Amino acid sequence: MEITVIDDSDWVGTLVAATRLGEVTMTDVTSMVSNVLNKANGRDISRLNIMDHGNSRSFQIGNDRISLQTLGRFRPTLARINGHFTAAGFVHLQHCRIGNNQSLLLELSRIWGVPVYAGTGDHNSVYRFNFGEYVRCDLTCRTNVRRPGLPAPATFEPRYMGGGAFMGRDGIIRQGAGPNK
């Protein structure tokens, strides 16, 4: 089961929540974990989308800011989700620029026991894309990976994303690039 969790305490989150169906909301780490586990209701999670604000050093989960420096305080609560994923499950952090902090993504992957995806650029949760590259971290981090959830490249056609951006066959969004780039 796919679960999307959103901090809807500001206008950005409210707008993002209006574009989703069945999402859960959060105000902090504790409410996120509780609301995700309640939504799952004993079923395994195939994909957990977490949407809030971020930068290259930290990201928000409601009123809580997660960074390498603060992670220890939140580790026990975040770890409650570990073991509730499918074998191919993953977490997609949909926050601006947090994909640049691979050390943090590696730690989160260890805590949750699944790969963590994040983008290196600004993230637009309404249009569901990141202007940077995607990073996937589990035992190691790999950059320039396909956006999570995309079909295999052989079946994916490039598409115009608006504002001069195209998503290529590899799932990477490039500004000003044509569909064949």
Side-chain angles (χ1 to χ4, degrees), residues 104-116:
L104 180 57
L105 300 182
L106 281 169
E107 285 303 310
L108 290 167
S109 177
R110 290 179 185 124
I111 290 168
W112 287 322
V114 294
V116 175

Side-chain angles (χ1 to χ4, degrees), residues 14 43 52 68 93 111 124 148 156:
T14 300
R43 294 171 289 180
D52 207 336
L68 284 170
L93 296 178
I111 290 168
N124 186 315
F156 180 77

Side-chain angles (χ1 to χ4, degrees), residues 1-164:
M1 108 173 283
E2 181 174 330
I3 297 176
T4 297
V5 59
I6 301 170
D7 174 7
D8 66 350
S9 66
D10 65 12
W11 70 270
V12 175
T14 300
L15 186 59
V16 171
T19 66
R20 304 291 196 282
L21 293 174
E23 77 283 352
V24 296
T25 58
M26 61 182 168
T27 57
D28 56 18
V29 170
T30 300
S31 68
M32 183 202 75
V33 170
S34 294
N35 293 346
V36 165
L37 292 174
N38 286 338
K39 178 79 172 184
N41 196 27
R43 294 171 289 180
D44 286 338
I45 302 166
S46 58
R47 176 179 178 153
L48 175 59
N49 301 302
I50 305 173
M51 299 178 193
D52 207 336
H53 300 287
N55 57 50
S56 59
R57 294 174 310 282
S58 64
F59 67 97
Q60 288 176 232
I61 295 181
N63 296 322
D64 294 327
R65 185 157 290 277
I66 310 300
S67 68
L68 284 170
Q69 291 72 33
T70 65
L71 189 58
R73 184 171 65 218
F74 301 110
R75 183 181 302 271
T77 305
L78 292 170
R80 290 179 46 215
I81 300 174
N82 188 316
H84 293 277
F85 289 92
T86 64
F90 63 91
V91 174
H92 184 189
L93 296 178
Q94 297 180 32
H95 303 72
C96 290
R97 301 182 183 174
I98 196 59
N100 293 301
N101 193 335
Q102 295 180 16
S103 298
L104 180 57
L105 300 182
L106 281 169
E107 285 303 310
L108 290 167
S109 177
R110 290 179 185 124
I111 290 168
W112 287 322
V114 294
V116 175
Y117 287 82
T120 60
D122 289 336
H123 191 86
N124 186 315
S125 293
V126 173
Y127 292 112
R128 302 177 189 207
F129 69 89
N130 189 288
F131 281 104
E133 296 177 348
Y134 280 91
V135 176
R136 179 185 191 268
C137 295
D138 45 26
L139 299 176
T140 62
C141 289
R142 288 175 296 291
T143 59
N144 206 16
V145 298
R146 278 188 303 135
R147 191 175 96 183
L150 285 180
T155 63
F156 180 77
E157 289 301 314
R159 66 177 182 204
Y160 182 66
M161 302 301 295

